[in-house]
Amino acid sequence: RDLHYNSIAKKAVEYIKENDTVYIPAASVGYLMTKYLPQDIQFTAVTNSIIVAEELLHRNNIETFVIGGYLRSRGYMADALS
């Protein structure tokens, strides 16, 4: 299962281009994507995961937005919009 998620995460980040806005979910694939995100282009990430946001915190090429709402104990935000 982890091998499949890793493969999906690697493939997904290949589609990120300069100045894109990308949603990175709180799911396992979203967290794994943080390992493979491009470091040589500027783009924006939107997430409902505090854990993902923390992974992106020191990535100077990524502008990060966290969707607000109720913070669940598992580290992600939940409400009607997120």
Side-chain angles (χ1 to χ4, degrees):
R1 180 173 135 169
D2 287 342
L3 178 62
H4 288 45
Y5 286 165
N6 231 354
S7 297
I8 292 167
K10 282 182 182 179
K11 188 64 175 175
V13 301
E14 289 178 11
Y15 292 96
I16 300 172
K17 305 293 182 233
E18 183 87 25
N19 299 316
D20 276 354
T21 298
V22 180
Y23 177 71
I24 302 175
S28 299
V29 172
Y31 178 76
L32 289 170
M33 284 174 64
T34 65
K35 296 183 350 183
Y36 305 111
L37 291 170
Q39 298 182 25
D40 59 343
I41 63 170
Q42 297 289 325
F43 65 96
T44 300
V46 178
T47 186
N48 65 327
S49 169
I50 299 297
I51 296 165
V52 168
E54 186 174 36
E55 289 293 317
L56 303 180
L57 184 61
H58 300 292
R59 301 285 294 272
N60 295 329
N61 65 313
I62 305 172
E63 185 174 42
T64 304
F65 290 88
V66 179
I67 298 172
Y70 173 73
L71 179 59
R72 295 189 182 260
S73 62
R74 296 183 81 192
Y76 66 93
M77 308 298 270
D79 70 4
L81 299 175
S82 65

